[in-house]
Amino acid sequence: MSKAFEKLIDKYAERRDFDRLTAFHTKRVEMLQQLQSGTYDKPHLVSEEDPVPLMAELAREIAYLEQALATRSDPAT
C-alpha cells in the first residue's frame, strides 16, 4: 500500500468523508472478489512476478479502509 493512498484515506477520515471511504472500500472489495473468482476484467494487470501481488495489496487496502471507517462510530473523533 502506498504512502499516498494512506495519506488520502487519512485525509478523508479526518474530514469524516465516510461516503467516499465507503465507495473506496466497496470498489476494492469488488475487485478482490473478481480476482478471487477469476472474473477480473483486466487480467493483464495481474502478474505472479509482481513484488506485491495485487490480491495481497487489495487486502491491505481494505483493512486500512475498514480501520478508517471504524472511526465513524468512535466518540473520541
Side-chain angles (χ1 to χ4, degrees):
M1 177 171 43
S2 72
K3 289 292 181 188
F5 180 82
E6 287 181 22
K7 284 183 178 182
L8 179 67
I9 298 308
D10 290 344
K11 184 58 77 175
Y12 289 149
E14 180 182 309
R15 293 179 182 169
R16 303 188 65 74
D17 189 348
F18 296 113
D19 291 338
R20 192 164 297 197
L21 289 171
T22 300
F24 268 110
H25 182 266
T26 301
K27 183 70 174 169
R28 280 169 172 71
V29 168
E30 288 173 3
M31 194 170 161
L32 182 59
Q33 289 172 341
Q34 290 173 355
L35 283 166
Q36 290 170 334
S37 69
T39 59
Y40 186 57
D41 61 350
K42 298 177 185 172
H44 62 282
L45 297 177
V46 183
S47 170
E48 295 297 324
E49 299 172 11
D50 288 341
V52 178
L54 186 54
M55 284 196 279
E57 184 71 13
L58 285 170
R60 282 191 287 278
E61 289 181 359
I62 290 167
Y64 200 80
L65 283 160
E66 288 172 351
Q67 181 182 3
L69 285 166
T71 64
R72 171 179 17 205
S73 60
D74 185 357
T77 59

